[in-house]
Amino acid sequence: MHFNDKAVLVTGASRGIGRAIARQFAKRGARVAVHYREGRDAAEETLAVLPGGPHSIVQADVADAGAVERMVEAVVTGLGRIDILVNNAGIYEAHPPADVSYDDWQRRWRRTLDTNLLGAANAAWCAARHMIRQGGGRIVNVSSRGAFRGEPDAPAYGASKAGMNAMSQSLALALAPHGIFVGAVAPGFVTTDRVAWRLDGPEGEDIRRQSPLGRVATPDEVAYAVAFLASEGAEFTTGTIIDVNGASYLRS
Ligand code: NAD
């Protein structure tokens, strides 16, 4: 897989899976825009580990539609174009329905959908505008196994990722005539800071045993699937959702 001279925007790339995705593209020749929301230092750290370049850094709250538009414009200004968009930024906030207040329930739903689903939808729209003009592009959305398996402690998270899957499929249909190919990657648990407390806690062993491999995914394994979907030769996979869950949840 080569991405020589491709311009790639990875949202939420200051740490975790996003950082691994940025590295995956950079080491295969791409110029990467590292997006972050807050904590520029972490984004600078990502930038520092990227080979090649020149790469750039962009800031935005993806839950803010105006900020998303400015983010994409900044990428096009900085890198000259946008060939690949990876919607990776996302939040997981617990709101078990039997325990939270109605106010809290509404707040978590709104925040989760605004970030995970509307943020990705808006970034896709803004990037697609440029890709259509350029004659093509790729959009890869980082979804979750939770879309299929259910998220009892965070129903909005599961719904946001199921929405992201459906959005990917609809965009694949709508944008194929413009040479834009769209896919999603649905990881199970991944070793990132965000879930370290669960993997290191009392339920860690049970989580690892969900897979016959007895472990969870690494960020690089997710990044590899993202790169595959964005690669030349993978065009006919458009509309697909790749599971990266070590056979911990099978569907057909
Ligand atoms: P993470 O928390 O390390 O990274 C998420 C990134 O998104 C962070 O950099 C954060 O700043 C950014 N972000 C969150 N809200 C934002 C906002 N409003 N505006 C801009 N940026 C925002 O998490 P991660 O584990 O690396 O997860 C990355 C993606 O993978 C997420 O979409 C997550 O849902 C998905 N995922 C993760 C796992 C896992 O086990 N870690 C499993 C399945 C799916």
Side-chain angles (χ1 to χ4, degrees), residues 12-18 35 37 60-63 88-91 115 142-144 157 161 187-190 192 194-195:
S14 58
R15 64 177 207 172
I17 295 170
H35 158 264
R37 177 182 46 173
D61 176 352
V62 299
N88 165 77
I91 55 170
T115 305
V142 180
S143 175
S144 172
Y157 179 83
K161 297 300 190 177
F189 272 96
V190 186
T192 66
R194 187 166 73 107
V195 295

Side-chain angles (χ1 to χ4, degrees), residues 9-21:
L9 166 59
V10 184
T11 67
S14 58
R15 64 177 207 172
I17 295 170
R19 177 179 284 179
I21 293 170

Side-chain angles (χ1 to χ4, degrees), residues 23 31 86 89 94 98-99 130 145 178 192 195 213 247:
R23 222 174 23 219
R31 290 174 297 129
V86 182
D99 301 339
H130 291 283
R145 180 186 68 168
H178 300 282
T192 66
V195 295
L213 281 76

Side-chain angles (χ1 to χ4, degrees), residues 31-239:
R31 290 174 297 129
V32 180
V34 173
H35 158 264
Y36 76 102
R37 177 182 46 173
E38 52 199 6
R40 178 149 185 127
D41 288 356
E44 297 276 5
E45 277 172 35
T46 299
L47 201 68
V49 298
L50 299 185
H55 308 294
S56 65
I57 292 184
V58 285
Q59 190 279 334
D61 176 352
V62 299
D64 174 341
V68 168
E69 189 174 30
R70 290 190 292 278
M71 166 183 76
V72 172
E73 292 311 312
V75 172
V76 173
T77 304
L79 301 182
R81 51 191 289 120
I82 180 166
D83 299 296
I84 299 164
L85 164 68
V86 182
N87 279 314
N88 165 77
I91 55 170
Y92 174 104
E93 294 185 346
H95 50 284
D99 301 339
V100 293
S101 69
Y102 190 37
D103 276 354
D104 203 20
W105 176 255
Q106 290 173 62
R107 199 167 41 244
R108 305 286 179 182
W109 268 87
R110 188 151 297 128
R111 210 154 55 195
T112 303
L113 292 182
D114 278 350
T115 305
N116 295 5
L117 184 55
L118 294 181
N122 289 337
W125 190 93
C126 294
R129 278 290 155 285
H130 291 283
M131 292 172 181
I132 290 168
R133 195 174 35 77
Q134 290 165 191
R138 306 279 196 277
I139 299 171
V140 183
N141 296 315
V142 180
S143 175
S144 172
R145 180 186 68 168
F148 308 110
R149 193 172 177 260
E151 291 285 353
D153 289 334
Y157 179 83
S160 72
K161 297 300 190 177
M164 187 178 231
N165 290 345
M167 176 182 77
S168 305
Q169 293 169 330
S170 296
L171 291 182
L173 286 167
L175 297 175
H178 300 282
I180 301 170
F181 305 105
V182 186
V185 172
F189 272 96
V190 186
T191 52
T192 66
D193 292 345
R194 187 166 73 107
V195 295
W197 65 278
R198 292 189 69 180
L199 297 174
D200 296 342
E203 59 175 340
E205 208 38 49
D206 284 346
I207 291 173
R208 281 182 283 279
R209 274 203 227 103
Q210 290 172 359
S211 164
L213 281 76
R215 65 174 180 86
V216 301
T218 65
D220 283 337
E221 288 173 318
V222 179
Y224 189 82
V226 170
F228 166 72
L229 285 178
S231 68
E232 245 175 77
E235 292 79 7
F236 219 63
T237 65
T238 195

